[in-house]
Amino acid sequence: MHERGALPIHSRPRPLTASARRWRFLASHRGPLQLAIDALAWVVAFEIATAMRFEFDLGAWPQSRVLAMAGTAVVVQMVIGHLRGLYNGRWQFGSFEEVAIVGQVVLATTLVGAVVNRLILQPRLVPVSVTLVAGGVALIGMVTARYVWRLVIDRRRRPDADHHESVRVLVFGAGNAGSQVIDSMLNDRESRYVPVGLLDDDTAKARLRIRGVRVMGDREALATVAAEVSAHHVVVAVPSAGPALLRELSKRAIDADVAVSVLPPVSELLDGRVGVADIRPLSEADLLGRHVVETDVMQIAGYIKGKRVLVTGAGGSIGSELCRQLHRYAPDELVMLDRDESALHAVQLSIEGRALLDTPNLVVANIRERDRVCEVFEIHRPQVVFHAAALKHLPLLEMHPDEGMKTNVWGTKHMLDAAVEFGVEHFVNVSTDKAADPSSVLGHTKRIAERLTAAVGATADGKYLSVRFGNVLGSRGSVLETFQRQIADGGPVTVTSREVTRFFMTVQEAVQLVIQAGAIGGDGQALVLDMGEPVRIADVARRLVAESPRHIEIVYTGLRPGEKSDEVLFGTAEKPQRSSHPLIMSVEVPALSDGELARLTVEELGSHG
């Protein structure tokens, strides 16, 4: 199996051949050569025009006059051409712009030559009709010469498809992006990447050719075409491609034993143009959904800028990204709280580029300790709180439910009580999709945390709300991280069930929406992030295994206690409402009173959904 991955940009330069040195010399003397070609075009044009005028009787008109008129046209062409930049490299060689300038220069030369020949020179050097016809013939000659020269240059730039280091590439997408990718590959002689075919689902493009590369079928023909042209790689040149299309193309490419790369979304392209340098490997984020997250910077800045902000669980996957993004909105103070000192070291390093652990905004504390929480609030007086600290691993909490209660429930209660006491303006509780119709200790404890937050929101002066989302790509202990580690260790990859599905979102997207939710959410609500379509975990495992050069076994272990086959974002009794953000919905959460909480025991978790 060939190596999969991105298309490298740089490769070892090939030594210049004698032919290449000659072409480099010609390119460095382009102006004089073009002028010589144009002069020859005028001479030949006047000879042809004169022969046509006198029915090819070469003796009917003096050759000296014909050559004198051609010489006059060459001088005029040279003067006007230099004034228009035709011979000093101002225009890209063989481009439409240069051809347009050639047309203008030839027209002007023809008119000037006709006037000089008719009104100034006596006797006339050639009949007026000869001058006009010669202009047309000269233009054809000049344009043809440039076209042939451009074809030769393009052919010389084209990488060698038969070279032993060449990578033969199929391009999916015959639109503007596909055309730019093909141009980029074919305009670099040193490129090892040769487009050998196009694929496109649009039947109207079935006969299309781009720089000689033809459309050979649609997505269903990927394997057949790859075998026909011996392609090693397929580039998806559709910047707007959604996860469903990428998953299907990835599966077909795996079956055909070709690697897959993609272009970034249009929003990530600085100038809207694409090339080989923009091509990157197909990532799990591409396959599981690429949301275009648009945040209202003014709304966010309105409640973050200049405020004292506290983040709990600051060393975790969500908490650390929260800290990085919140830092951009210039809070007056960003207090980062975690019980893990090494995690605080890492987050300070990622934000400040230093990690001396010597600033008071780094707080080592455990939210289970009520007095310590109050002490932190007393010292820092936060105005905005993002509560991301939690125990999150479902199987462990099933075995140790009391630990889940201590952190996820009582820790949240301590944070809420301190927030009320010290007048917090915004309190955002980070929740999970497992709180919707909970079936596990994790889900029940997070659901209780949502209800506690709603209870405070109903009575306190500040804004108290929860934000609920599913699995986060790249978070510690996530299923993707687990699969990748198992593959690196040689397997097996363990999957609970062939049918289990999950929602996924990148950590950056999730945090952007969490911060936005804090600006638009109402008291006591749970805001639910749009996670896209659920993804079958077994499919993800199969794709990752297919990327490995080694044989990796997939083992199905069965669902664990408390684990759902399919996650949901909303409970059956919840009625989601649209918010002002297209990727955020809201639901009302019933409040949980202190009396109900006091009566709650670990054994009773299952009755408090």
Side-chain angles (χ1 to χ4, degrees):
M1 180 181 290
H2 60 272
E3 182 179 353
R4 300 177 184 273
L7 301 182
I9 307 302
H10 303 291
S11 56
R12 295 188 302 275
R14 299 169 182 167
L16 289 177
T17 63
S19 175
R21 287 193 293 271
R22 286 194 296 271
W23 273 96
R24 179 170 289 186
F25 173 81
L26 293 176
S28 64
H29 296 79
R30 168 183 154 185
L33 286 171
Q34 284 183 296
L35 180 57
I37 290 172
D38 293 349
L40 179 61
W42 276 114
V43 172
V44 172
F46 271 101
E47 290 290 350
I48 292 175
T50 304
M52 292 174 62
R53 171 67 173 77
F54 295 101
E55 298 181 349
F56 298 95
D57 182 1
L58 299 181
W61 196 266
Q63 280 292 305
S64 58
R65 293 189 182 185
V66 175
L67 293 176
M69 189 63 223
T72 302
V74 169
V75 172
V76 175
Q77 168 95 14
M78 181 175 64
V79 173
I80 298 176
H82 276 294
L83 292 176
R84 296 292 287 130
L86 186 59
Y87 303 116
N88 58 13
R90 183 182 300 177
W91 311 101
Q92 184 180 8
F93 185 76
S95 64
F96 287 113
E97 292 85 355
E98 187 190 43
V99 169
I101 295 300
V102 170
Q104 295 173 20
V105 171
V106 170
L107 177 62
T109 300
T110 302
L111 294 177
V112 170
V115 170
V116 169
N117 181 55
R118 179 69 177 84
L119 302 179
I120 298 177
L121 298 177
Q122 295 297 332
R124 292 188 306 242
L125 293 178
V126 293
V128 174
S129 62
V130 169
T131 304
L132 298 178
V133 172
V137 175
L139 178 61
I140 294 172
M142 294 177 198
V143 171
T144 300
R146 282 166 171 79
Y147 177 71
V148 172
W149 194 345
R150 179 63 180 265
L151 285 180
V152 173
I153 290 175
D154 287 347
R155 187 174 294 262
R156 290 190 56 78
R157 285 177 178 171
R158 186 182 293 257
D160 183 2
D162 297 322
H163 192 276
H164 69 279
E165 293 184 2
S166 294
V167 178
R168 299 170 68 86
V169 178
L170 279 178
V171 178
F172 180 86
N176 186 47
S179 177
Q180 291 179 33
V181 166
I182 289 174
D183 281 340
S184 180
M185 290 179 179
L186 294 182
N187 285 337
D188 182 5
R189 178 66 178 173
E190 302 304 321
S191 173
R192 296 291 188 263
Y193 307 101
V194 185
V196 292
L198 275 161
L199 299 173
D200 200 289
D201 290 336
D202 186 353
T203 55
K205 298 178 180 177
R207 299 182 180 275
L208 180 66
R209 286 179 181 263
I210 298 176
R211 296 284 300 273
V213 182
R214 66 185 179 91
V215 175
M216 304 180 71
D218 56 13
R219 72 179 75 177
E220 295 182 358
L222 191 153
T224 303
V225 174
E228 179 183 342
V229 298
S230 301
H232 312 140
H233 215 106
V234 59
V235 174
V236 183
V238 185
S240 59
L245 173 60
L246 293 176
R247 285 196 293 269
E248 180 180 350
L249 290 174
S250 175
K251 183 178 183 303
R252 292 181 182 277
I254 289 171
D255 293 341
D257 191 28
V258 297
V260 185
S261 293
V262 296
L263 295 176
V266 175
S267 59
E268 296 178 16
L269 297 173
L270 295 179
D271 59 1
R273 293 193 60 79
V274 297
V276 175
D278 296 305
I279 298 171
R280 58 171 173 76
L282 186 64
S283 69
E284 299 309 319
D286 298 316
L287 295 171
L288 301 177
R290 294 189 291 183
H291 296 266
V292 179
V293 178
E294 296 181 359
T295 54
D296 188 330
V297 175
M298 294 304 296
Q299 273 189 331
I300 291 174
Y303 84 103
I304 298 296
K305 186 176 182 180
K307 299 296 179 70
R308 297 181 299 277
V309 181
L310 168 65
V311 178
T312 70
S317 304
I318 296 296
S320 60
E321 181 63 23
L322 262 170
C323 292
R324 284 187 286 271
Q325 292 198 25
L326 289 168
H327 183 261
R328 302 171 191 163
Y329 294 104
D332 179 57
E333 182 183 18
L334 178 58
V335 182
M336 297 176 281
L337 183 152
D338 203 290
R339 64 177 183 173
D340 184 344
E341 60 181 353
S342 297
L344 289 176
H345 178 278
V347 72
Q348 184 187 35
L349 182 64
S350 70
I351 293 175
E352 302 177 12
R354 57 189 290 278
L356 300 179
L357 301 178
D358 57 352
T359 55
N361 67 316
L362 297 175
V363 177
V364 178
N366 194 328
I367 62 171
R368 293 181 176 189
E369 300 172 5
R370 181 184 182 87
D371 291 343
R372 177 61 174 142
V373 170
C374 290
E375 181 182 12
V376 172
F377 274 75
E378 174 70 38
I379 294 171
H380 295 280
R381 302 278 174 164
Q383 297 163 285
V384 181
V385 174
F386 289 90
H387 176 43
L391 294 180
K392 65 176 185 178
H393 288 287
L394 186 149
L396 283 175
L397 293 184
E398 289 298 310
M399 293 189 293
H400 309 288
D402 52 337
E403 297 301 311
M405 283 289 294
K406 291 174 185 177
T407 297
N408 297 352
V409 175
W410 292 109
T412 300
K413 183 69 165 62
H414 299 159
M415 291 295 300
L416 289 167
D417 290 345
V420 173
E421 180 180 350
F422 291 93
V424 166
E425 299 171 7
H426 286 78
F427 187 101
V428 180
N429 169 49
V430 177
S431 189
T432 170
D433 59 356
K434 293 171 178 60
D437 287 342
S439 62
S440 62
V441 172
L442 172 58
H444 283 296
T445 56
K446 296 299 284 184
R447 178 61 172 174
I448 292 168
E450 288 184 356
R451 295 183 62 190
L452 289 173
T453 304
V456 174
T459 57
D461 291 335
K463 182 187 288 188
Y464 291 76
L465 56 98
S466 297
V467 179
R468 185 189 298 170
F469 53 89
N471 296 273
V472 174
L473 293 174
S475 63
R476 289 186 299 183
S478 69
V479 64
L480 294 178
E481 183 184 71
T482 301
F483 287 167
Q484 289 164 349
R485 179 58 183 270
Q486 290 174 331
I487 291 171
D489 292 341
V493 170
T494 55
V495 181
T496 55
S497 168
R498 286 181 170 82
E499 303 303 322
V500 68
T501 63
R502 292 291 181 265
F503 293 101
F504 286 94
M505 179 178 281
T506 68
V507 64
Q508 294 81 9
E509 293 163 346
V511 167
Q512 280 182 307
L513 291 174
V514 167
I515 298 173
Q516 182 72 64
I520 67 176
D523 272 327
Q525 291 181 332
L527 279 80
V528 184
L529 308 188
D530 181 357
M531 301 293 295
E533 294 298 320
V535 176
R536 197 179 305 276
I537 298 299
D539 292 343
V540 177
R542 282 193 291 269
R543 180 188 177 276
L544 290 174
V545 166
E547 290 288 322
S548 173
R550 295 184 290 177
H551 174 72
I552 304 293
E553 184 182 4
I554 298 178
V555 175
Y556 296 94
T557 60
L559 290 174
R560 296 165 292 189
E563 195 169 31
K564 299 178 182 177
S565 177
D566 301 299
E567 297 286 8
V568 295
L569 294 171
F570 304 100
T572 53
E574 292 179 334
K575 298 180 180 179
Q577 302 291 325
R578 290 214 166 271
S579 72
S580 59
H581 194 286
L583 294 180
I584 301 176
M585 303 286 282
S586 67
V587 294
E588 297 298 325
V589 177
L592 182 69
S593 67
D594 288 348
E596 290 176 286
L597 178 62
R599 293 191 297 272
L600 186 64
T601 65
V602 172
E603 290 75 17
E604 294 173 324
L605 283 178
S607 62
H608 285 269

